[in-house]
Amino acid sequence: MFKRILSTLLLIGSASANITCAENSTAGAESPLVIAHRGASAYLPEHTLEAKAMAYAMRPDYIEQDLVLSKDNHLIVMHDIYLDSTTNVAEIFPGRAREDGHYYTIDFTLEELKKLRVSEAFSIGEDGPQAKYPHRFPLWKSSFQLSTFEEEIELIQGLNKSLGYKIGIYPEIKKPYFHHWEGKDIATIALQKLKEYGYSDKQQKVFLQCFDAEELQRIKFELMPAMGMDLSLVQLIAATSWGEKLIEIDGIIQNYDYDWMLEPGGMRKITSYADGIGPWYPMLIEVEDGKPRANNIVRRAHRRDLQVHPYTFRADPEKLPEEFDSFNQFLHFAAYQLRVDGIFTDQPDQAVNYLSRPHHRKRRY
């Protein structure tokens, strides 16, 4: 069944992408990298192999993988450290939730995780599961599974071989602090797996990203030198209020303070251990009289030779910023006013199509 799906998606992607890589009037310049955010996540459940195959068919530059660990130390490709918002874990394994009500991936073996069905992201409301994105793939239709990092790498590398493309991977190590609290070193396991599959230095098409600055520094100065690796690292930037990283100070658990990253001196510190930053796109924009304009974040990053790959560009009507009339206008603003180096998007086909038009800049192949 999966082979039939893949064949169909590749035909769709070849027809819809209509990619033009020729030089044009802006010869020598390049359009931003297109990074498929969790795969073709606007069209199929995020981080499933089917979503990654569909994303591949749309020919982005990179495809993203979020990584968490299972109980038996397999790298599972999923966005959260718990299972309850994308799988039927509560139905298959009732009573396995922790005291906070969440079912954590780290509490299940790979064999157990493979028994779960995956659906579009949802929340539980008074009327049962409610889709996070109501206009996307319907909840609990068809049949999707969780996949391992190995399975996804082999899919992308296999397609690179059979089709002759050079689409890269863009893994994110999710919540290292949590894995350390659980006695697991996810960064080391992820690096070992990357090296096993030939991703050992900056000559390969791979970026490794993380919200954890201290863990990225550990990767840069300790883990990679010990393993003979030198990958491009990207510091993801969150709002402090999100609680993306938790720390313990004097016995009190609190949110890590991300504010320093965008303050004076922050870029200088980041450039000592990373090759780029991944900010939330509103962090790059100022709005005056209802009109968006670039602030100085991208310019400051570029002065430090840091690439800028903001997240997440979505074409869904309810997610399009009100300052823009269309997704294409949003993309144009990012590429030619913000002048970012890459974008994470749930709709890689639309981004590739727009940014690859003859009157735009050359794609990075």
Side-chain angles (χ1 to χ4, degrees):
M1 179 179 178
F2 180 73
K3 290 181 178 179
R4 292 199 304 271
I5 293 172
L6 177 58
S7 298
T8 302
L9 294 178
L10 289 172
L11 288 172
I12 293 171
S14 298
S16 65
N18 191 25
I19 294 170
T20 301
C21 296
E23 299 274 336
N24 53 50
S25 59
T26 54
E30 294 177 326
S31 64
L33 299 170
V34 174
I35 304 149
H37 182 244
R38 310 181 199 174
S41 54
Y43 311 112
L44 287 168
E46 65 184 40
H47 282 319
T48 59
L49 286 179
E50 290 86 347
K52 301 308 174 72
M54 188 174 203
Y56 192 101
M58 295 169 176
R59 292 188 64 179
D61 298 284
Y62 290 83
I63 299 174
E64 183 193 35
Q65 304 80 30
D66 292 320
L67 304 178
V68 303
L69 279 177
S70 68
K71 185 176 182 178
D72 47 354
N73 294 326
H74 288 277
L75 290 163
I76 308 299
V77 182
M78 58 183 302
H79 179 253
D80 295 312
I81 57 174
Y82 44 83
L83 298 153
D84 24 298
S85 62
T86 55
T87 77
N88 63 340
V89 63
E91 174 188 338
I92 304 301
F93 296 106
R96 294 279 294 273
R98 293 193 182 187
E99 291 183 1
D100 62 3
H102 290 304
Y103 294 80
Y104 286 79
T105 307
I106 207 166
D107 292 334
F108 296 83
T109 65
L110 177 60
E111 182 180 4
E112 291 174 323
L113 293 170
K114 285 294 188 179
K115 295 178 181 178
L116 302 179
R117 286 183 64 194
V118 174
S119 186
E120 278 285 334
F122 60 88
S123 59
I124 302 297
E126 294 181 358
D127 299 323
Q130 304 294 316
K132 183 177 180 181
Y133 299 100
H135 303 293
R136 294 188 179 184
F137 201 88
L139 296 181
W140 307 117
K141 299 298 182 182
S142 193
S143 179
F144 304 98
Q145 276 191 330
L146 295 170
S147 60
T148 66
F149 193 29
E150 296 100 316
E151 288 171 328
E152 184 159 328
I153 289 176
E154 290 176 6
L155 173 68
I156 294 171
Q157 289 188 344
L159 290 170
N160 278 343
K161 180 178 181 180
S162 61
L163 291 169
Y165 304 157
K166 295 181 179 179
I167 292 177
I169 63 172
Y170 208 126
E172 177 189 345
I173 298 173
K174 300 296 292 188
K175 292 183 169 55
Y177 80 88
F178 169 79
H179 288 88
H180 284 303
W181 289 357
E182 296 289 320
K184 294 182 182 292
D185 186 352
I186 187 173
T188 294
I189 294 172
L191 288 171
Q192 289 170 342
K193 192 59 60 179
L194 285 165
K195 187 171 184 178
E196 177 184 338
Y197 279 92
Y199 299 100
S200 59
D201 57 45
K202 295 177 181 178
Q203 299 304 309
Q204 288 83 45
K205 288 193 68 173
V206 56
F207 286 97
L208 181 61
Q209 60 180 334
C210 190
F211 278 102
D212 192 318
E214 286 67 37
E215 194 73 358
L216 277 178
Q217 292 170 58
R218 176 173 172 257
I219 289 169
K220 174 69 174 181
F221 300 119
E222 178 184 335
L223 298 183
M224 288 202 302
M227 299 173 68
M229 301 176 71
D230 182 26
L231 303 179
S232 296
L233 304 180
V234 174
Q235 173 66 67
L236 292 169
I237 304 177
T240 297
S241 62
W242 297 351
E244 188 61 42
K245 177 181 178 180
L246 300 181
I247 57 176
E248 183 177 349
I249 299 179
D250 298 327
I252 299 174
I253 303 297
Q254 56 189 10
N255 291 349
Y256 179 85
D257 184 0
Y258 282 91
D259 294 350
W260 68 266
M261 295 185 182
L262 299 180
E263 292 174 351
M267 297 293 176
R268 181 172 62 251
K269 181 176 180 179
I270 291 172
T271 199
S272 70
Y273 63 86
D275 303 277
I277 59 171
W280 185 34
Y281 74 81
M283 295 173 176
L284 310 178
I285 299 173
E286 296 176 353
V287 179
E288 185 174 327
D289 297 326
K291 296 182 179 180
R293 66 180 185 182
N295 60 23
N296 66 354
I297 299 299
V298 175
R299 185 169 64 252
R300 287 169 50 203
H302 285 168
R303 282 205 299 263
R304 295 286 178 181
D305 292 325
L306 290 169
Q307 293 194 46
V308 182
H309 300 168
Y311 60 90
T312 302
F313 289 73
R314 295 183 171 102
D316 309 72
E318 66 272 17
K319 291 296 182 179
L320 185 69
E322 62 181 10
E323 293 82 16
F324 302 99
D325 296 328
S326 69
F327 189 53
N328 282 351
Q329 187 183 50
F330 189 20
L331 293 171
H332 193 92
F333 177 83
Y336 308 121
Q337 293 190 48
L338 292 181
R339 296 188 180 279
V340 300
D341 304 286
I343 61 166
F344 284 83
T345 177
D346 290 5
Q347 287 91 357
D349 57 332
Q350 295 187 45
V352 167
N353 285 342
Y354 182 75
L355 295 172
S356 298
R357 291 177 181 177
H359 63 279
H360 292 305
R361 300 178 179 187
K362 184 178 64 174
R363 290 296 306 287
R364 304 183 185 199
Y365 285 105

